[in-house]
Amino acid sequence: MMGSPTALENRITFLIGGEAGQGITRGGSVLGRSLTRAGLHVFGTIDYPSIIRGGHNFYTLTVSGKEVYAPDDMVDLVIALNKETALLHLHALRKGGGIVYDERIDFEEGEIPEEGVKLFSIPLTDIVKEVKGPPIMRNTVALGAALALVGLDTKHLEGVIAEAFAGREKVVESNVSAIRMGHDFAWAHHEFDGRFKTEESSPDRIMVTGSEAIALGAIGAGCMFYSAYPMTPASAVLHYLISKDQETGMIVIQAESEIAAVTMTVGAAYAGLRSMTGTSGGGFCLMTEGFGLAGATESPIVVMLGQRPGPSTGMATYTAQADLLFAIHVSQGEFPRVVVAPGDVDDCFTRTVEAFNLAEKYQIPAIILADKHILESHQSTQPFDDETIEIERGELIDVDEWTGEGEYKRYEITESGVSPKIILGTRGATMLANGNEHDEYGFTTADPVGVVAMADKRFRKSPRLVEDINGLEPVKVYGGSDPDVTLVGWGSTKGPALEALKLLGEEGINARFIQIVYMEPFPSEAFAKAMEDGGKSMLLETNITNQLGRLIKEHTGLGFDKAWAKYDGRPFNPGEIAAEARRLA
Amino acid sequence: MMGSPTALENRITFLIGGEAGQGITRGGSVLGRSLTRAGLHVFGTIDYPSIIRGGHNFYTLTVSGKEVYAPDDMVDLVIALNKETALLHLHALRKGGGIVYDERIDFEEGEIPEEGVKLFSIPLTDIVKEVKGPPIMRNTVALGAALALVGLDTKHLEGVIAEAFAGREKVVESNVSAIRMGHDFAWAHHEFDGRFKTEESSPDRIMVTGSEAIALGAIGAGCMFYSAYPMTPASAVLHYLISKDQETGMIVIQAESEIAAVTMTVGAAYAGLRSMTGTSGGGFCLMTEGFGLAGATESPIVVMLGQRPGPSTGMATYTAQADLLFAIHVSQGEFPRVVVAPGDVDDCFTRTVEAFNLAEKYQIPAIILADKHILESHQSTQPFDDETIEIERGELIDVDEWTGEGEYKRYEITESGVSPKIILGTRGATMLANGNEHDEYGFTTADPVGVVAMADKRFRKSPRLVEDINGLEPVKVYGGSDPDVTLVGWGSTKGPALEALKLLGEEGINARFIQIVYMEPFPSEAFAKAMEDGGKSMLLETNITNQLGRLIKEHTGLGFDKAWAKYDGRPFNPGEIAAEARRLA
Amino acid sequence: MASIRELGTDQKNYWCPGCGNFGLLNGVKRAIVRLGLRRDQVTAVTGIGCHGKTTNYLAVNGFHVIHGRVLPVATAIKLANKEQTVIGFAGDGDAFGIGMGHFPHAARRNPNITLVVHNNLIYGLTTGQTSPTTKLGHVTKTSPRGAFEEAINPISTALASNAGFVARGYVGEMDHLVDLMEEALRFRGFALVDILQPCVAWNRINTYDFYNKRVYKLGESGHDPTDLTAAYERAEEWSERIPIGVFYKVERPTYGDNFPVLAGEPMVRKKLDSGKVAKLISEFA
Amino acid sequence: MASIRELGTDQKNYWCPGCGNFGLLNGVKRAIVRLGLRRDQVTAVTGIGCHGKTTNYLAVNGFHVIHGRVLPVATAIKLANKEQTVIGFAGDGDAFGIGMGHFPHAARRNPNITLVVHNNLIYGLTTGQTSPTTKLGHVTKTSPRGAFEEAINPISTALASNAGFVARGYVGEMDHLVDLMEEALRFRGFALVDILQPCVAWNRINTYDFYNKRVYKLGESGHDPTDLTAAYERAEEWSERIPIGVFYKVERPTYGDNFPVLAGEPMVRKKLDSGKVAKLISEFA
Ligand SMILES: Cc1ncc(C[n+]2csc(CCOP(=O)(O)OP(=O)(O)O)c2C)c(N)n1
Ligand SMILES: Cc1ncc(C[n+]2csc(CCOP(=O)(O)OP(=O)(O)O)c2C)c(N)n1
Ligand code: SF4
Ligand code: SF4
Ligand SMILES: [Mg+2]
Ligand SMILES: [Mg+2]
């Protein structure tokens, strides 16, 4: 049998599917981590409804010897933990692809086409029984079998499992047996062409989700306070940080509501801590007033907004980029703020550090605008380098640096617009923050001259802020010069767009992708420059009204040959982007 | 002595000033109402800090035989209830203007310039003592005196006071005596040129604030439910509606928070009532999630957002137009909505009715975007005509109209995008509303095809909504054709802009004012058309970042020769607008 | 009058097998049947959480709202159509975490509605975080060293807020639960029914077994439900013995009783009349 | 150590002449002086309302926040710098209306802070609307037929929420108030001091005269502040006799005690160290 196209280029896509509660994400990520350890590149993503048990879940994992930015549209190997999975994803199975399933599943005649689909029946249940494991372990057996099919050994999988159950010898043992039995059964009984060449391997990489990368970025940036209320897809940041609070020395709090979460964050920032909160749309609504308090009191906070489809509670476990304009314009009145949208796990790490630095340097609130697809997907990458982190605290006066002369003015009118800030408890100085309009000391005022001076002070930060942002690659360009077509997008669209560039390249179409990273202040010049000589242009957004397009129109007057709005809660697929681009080019 | 210029054109401006607690607003509005009854046109506005007693308050009242849209920059007669008032407003006193004050106030040498200022000392305190009134009654005496100075009798003032204290004979009596004694003293001892010709009078007019006009609009529109949490400058709507709940049959509730207020409003709308809430920026923040719930569940609610300067709690008792972009983009996700910004009390009434109709016809939330200046200022006008009100309930199925066949589908996919809505409790039908994404019945779904169908259904309302709005004069043009200069503004800027047109006209400068009334959906075509052949253009907004300008840029690409951002919390003055326009023309 | 079957929908039920919500829903349905209500006479308002799926499975009027806002929405609906039997369904997090700002206010207002709290002492739908009702020491995803905030006590919170009907049910005592729900729905005023609802997915402490060993019925224990002090004392019990039943019950005027405009037909039946405004306008002359 | 004079600012005071806030502020200042604290050792967090002007008049560290959010901000500040004496100043509306969602949570968490409620039973700054603590029948701008929602009882609400120190003061009993404030500030844990504060502008019922006739001191009445049941009973008293003093007082671990990272120096003193992340990153290999 002919190998599938991806197998030929040393690339394969797995899909693990079953019911909620069958450990689908766990299975997918364990496989991804094992393959990362094997030196391969991976991108894995989970699709699940907001249901704890039951309901169809599936995890798509694309693995390759080269960089992977998004899962492929088509699947090579389906690992079906129930029959539904096999049937539901047949349409996405590449010709020559296979299905790993429990021998106890019976397919009726005609359910599976006779040609082009390989059936890999494995005694999942029997093996689990043999090793006396719980039903959920069928998952593990199937992973062992899948590795055999793609020609890999189980060393790394065993390692990952052993670490996961560290200290529970018995469990590790039975899992390892399950893996090996699955592997050996498949090796003995089945054949599949998608064998990996691991010589292309790049070892010592890590695999993380966007949430984890953001959490690590926060830790690296010296965040000392995180307060949040659970909300998909932001909760994972909370979970991770709370699990590590003793190692990091961070205070991590589950607040009673998003209102409490954000106002606690502002309180901690006032005192002098780098502080952060995270939420999704509904919770962000509840944070808007506190966000404005941060703006008015010049308290540097970082808010991670993990977008999911709205309006209202919408679709809790799906993805969208539909909160952009809301985030940019949020809260009454006006004050400088930063909105930055990471596009992959590396961005999640580095841009989080930048957000903390900008927030503190300019004493303004910053929003990290992520989405479910980026937050919950796994991506392999080079380990983040903590040595590259530079913590810039701006005009924060260290406790020992306070000279103690005169009364301290929290809102001193300065040329830069930034007023030196002390740490709460500095001997001999008191600090008055005020969400009402105020004078230099922080006392409430409505004096027409004074209030204009204070607003001007706040907005005097803008030019330098813009300058700083221009130095941070606010717009990134991928692909060659003089392209036939230029794709423009942001956030998690980066991955599928980069994959689409590859697909187009294979067809000889020269394409470019422009990623806008900073949304506010908007990098107009950098963007306009990147758009020069770009051929046809296509905007990609997972929202209905093309929010980035509207922002671009406002700031640059530029339009697009095509503006594609996808809003079914699913991320873009590389293939569909390539197809549209092809039509346009 | 030469009459002041305004007096010459039968126009005069009073300024009543004193401490909070001295009844400044009351005095100003009583005078305004009396003069309205005298057939004159008035516009009165109050300037006060957020303080219950003490702190300088002043009420500026411009009165004329012709329409008045805003108070004049310069004052003819200062009624100084304390010395501070006389001194603070000297700079705004027109040459030849006068100061009414208590004879017990001693001005030091040089405090008052010898020329150009007339001093009208009145024994305010003595008269109050004589009629055995409380100190606050000095106010009343001064009003009587002021009327004498401008050549009017006290008939209407006495009438207004008598009604205010209806049923309290003694109080009425002493007030009337106070008025007459003040009047007679001034008549006997002082002379002033600002005499009114009342032959220009237009009788039977009313004087209302924007708040009152909006409340009346809501009542006229058939609003049956109003729930709010107090917040300046929105509270007056709540106060008025609660004071009239028995006459109107409306349920009016002071909720425990803005979150409760808006979600109650959504609940009432779901059940089938026209319902409304009102707030200012901070409270609006707290309503954002509930607003999205209205959007997702297609519940027609009306939210009055009374802007004041932010960020955060800002300046509670001053004015701004800095929540425009926040309001337009508010809440996560996307759904059609209406944002309408009334520019005067007539707009407040009619546009409120429109907001209710549009909200219900399209089953969407609507925002009435007002500001402190419009909400708290008094303006005289023709009585609103309830006969002009047309209540359009759209596809609301009356209880008796339900045929009872089949299961009712709250979110039936229709061509118009509007799904017929029943009233809660319709026999034989149950109605399921759902803030999660849902199918036609209202059941939760995340099916990729179904959710797109539902989003498309919601957005299919847009074209007809835009059409409707185009029929409602979304952009109003004042002034002649082929102007030298075109002013563009919104909301309460309308008044000073219209006055500026008059001033410019007097100088032979041909100016036009374009008022944008509907901000969302934005009336791009109507606006672009209005801008044609407009000469130089100037944008007027009381915010820092020229939010309307940014909106215009996004929608039409049009810019301005000058964009004026005023952000000291005070409304524009006609004179300053005229001066800028003159420079530009 | 709806039957149990008619009160169900055709939607696939996605609660975990064994979840206490099944019993809870069943108990509510049986009470509705006992009251002889038609489907169109009942409105269910649900919050966000596993409990929130109730509107998918209960075939009456429904409003699935946002997290924490069951009470203001339910209150308004009752005012809008006083003929509806309005039942709010909230989670412990929904009612006492994010929604805490409304609870005491609903209680003191006393609208004639019933609030059912699906109290599983955990955040179910968001995969097992600490809830305000999670007990001290309980290890969850967000309390790795055990919960260290004293739990909210729904019963004493309701008592302190002047709630007129304060009760606790348990899904493992079905007949008792149905009686309780019936009593709550018949009560004129705000009724809290806090229901012990095991979450089999995330709460491994407060299980059926845990409750079966501990619950006892207040009705059989000589408790006087008009005695506030006794109610406060019973509310504190949560160790060897956990009381279920009515802690407190005293009628007073309902919220609706205080609105003169509610004396007549339900608000939603009234015709809109723009003429009413004319007289008011003239007052501004 | 600050003196009374040093604790004042140069800002013109804009409370109405005769307002209870003057006495309240004075009482707080005297307690701070008694504790011998420097100005830089105290942080005041104020809500929005007349009470919120306190940060303009009290010369310590201050944060004038948004309406209703005194408690989360104050809680966070205490965690950030445990050496500060943190005092929250909230209005009755601020604390129990819009801010109600935080009160029970702060109480059960037990951060070592004090919440002073300027309880004037009215919305002062917004010109006299009904407050959650406004008593039944009281006619206000928003209750033209008299308030008809049972008032929130701050004392029983605090008790039901597990607050460790629950007290009521009255500005007309200055020495008692200063003692109370001192005791509250010394208390290790969350202390509520609900202070009866006449609003001379808008509340014509709960005046100095009203209170002078009624208040009595719990300390002189044989009340045992460790007896929860007795505390609930006293909390209900509000007619002929209104108790002031400590209703309830029991120490337990504070919120901060539960964070291992708070064992050392205050958080704000720690140096930021980006190196800590390296080991964590390696766990993702
Ligand atoms: C404003 C907002 N914040 C957070 C969430 C996420 N969320 C959904 S359900 C839930 C808590 C569920 O716990 P509970 O109310 O006890 O319900 P259960 O699932 O246990 O029935 C949370 C935090 C949300 N939907 N909206
Ligand atoms: C979010 C928000 N809603 C409403 C307001 C308006 N507001 C300011 S103070 C206040 C209430 C004041 O009452 P209380 O808290 O009792 O304080 P007091 O003035 O009586 O001291 C209100 C409603 C606001 N500032 N912010
Ligand atoms: S997670 Fe818990 S509450 Fe939710 S359905 Fe499962 S068992 Fe029930
Ligand atoms: S309004 Fe009341 S609370 Fe406010 S300052 Fe005046 S008396 Fe004091
Ligand atoms: Mg729960
Ligand atoms: Mg108050």
Side-chain angles (χ1 to χ4, degrees), chain B residues 548-569:
Chain B
L548 174 60
R550 293 161 69 185
L551 200 62
I552 289 173
K553 188 82 195 298
E554 179 200 325
H555 286 285
T556 69
L558 294 170
F560 293 88
D561 293 310
K562 183 182 164 70
W564 186 1
K566 179 168 182 172
Y567 47 96
D568 62 359

Side-chain angles (χ1 to χ4, degrees), chain B residues 19 49-56 84 229-232 235 238-239 242-246 250 252-259 282-283 286 308 312-313 316, chain D residues 12-17 48 50 53 65-67 69 93-94 96-99 123-127 129-131 140-145 149 200-202 204:
Chain B
E19 282 193 5
S50 184
I51 286 165
I52 302 301
R53 296 276 178 275
H56 181 61
E84 193 188 6
Y229 186 78
M231 187 161 194
T232 309
S235 308
L238 171 66
H239 298 160
I242 220 164
S243 75
K244 297 293 180 190
D245 66 346
Q246 283 187 270
M250 199 185 293
V252 187
I253 292 176
Q254 178 182 335
E256 64 270 33
S257 68
E258 289 87 353
I259 297 179
L286 296 172
R308 66 192 214 189
S312 202
T313 311
Chain D
K12 183 160 181 321
N13 190 312
Y14 280 115
W15 284 323
C16 307
I48 302 292
C50 291
K53 297 197 203 294
V65 300
I66 44 181
H67 192 33
R69 314 306 165 196
D94 200 80
F96 302 113
I98 195 168
Y123 280 23
L125 190 63
T126 44
T127 72
Q129 297 88 357
T130 313
S131 152
T140 75
K141 217 175 242 182
T142 49
S143 53
R145 290 178 292 279
E149 306 172 34
V200 298
W202 307 110
R204 304 293 157 93

Side-chain angles (χ1 to χ4, degrees), chain C residues 51 91-94 118-125 131 133 197 199:
Chain C
H51 63 275
D92 38 308
D94 199 81
H118 301 226
N119 193 350
N120 53 14
L121 284 72
I122 201 88
Y123 280 22
L125 190 62
S131 151
T133 60
Q197 173 250 315
C199 167

Side-chain angles (χ1 to χ4, degrees), chain A residues 52-53, chain C residues 14-16 18-21 50 120 122 124-125 197-202:
Chain A
I52 302 300
R53 295 276 178 276
Chain C
Y14 280 114
W15 284 322
C16 306
C19 172
N21 281 328
C50 291
N120 53 14
I122 201 88
L125 190 62
Q197 173 250 315
C199 167
V200 297
W202 307 110

Side-chain angles (χ1 to χ4, degrees), chain A residues 334 456 544-545 550 554 567, chain B residues 334 456 544-545 554 567:
Chain A
E334 297 161 295
D456 286 344
I544 301 176
T545 64
R550 293 160 69 185
E554 179 200 326
Y567 47 96
Chain B
E334 298 162 293
D456 286 343
I544 302 175
T545 65
E554 179 200 325
Y567 47 96

Side-chain angles (χ1 to χ4, degrees), chain A residues 332-347:
Chain A
Q332 80 272 22
E334 297 161 295
F335 51 90
R337 81 248 339 241
V338 164
V339 180
V340 59
D344 55 25
V345 292
D346 297 322
D347 282 354

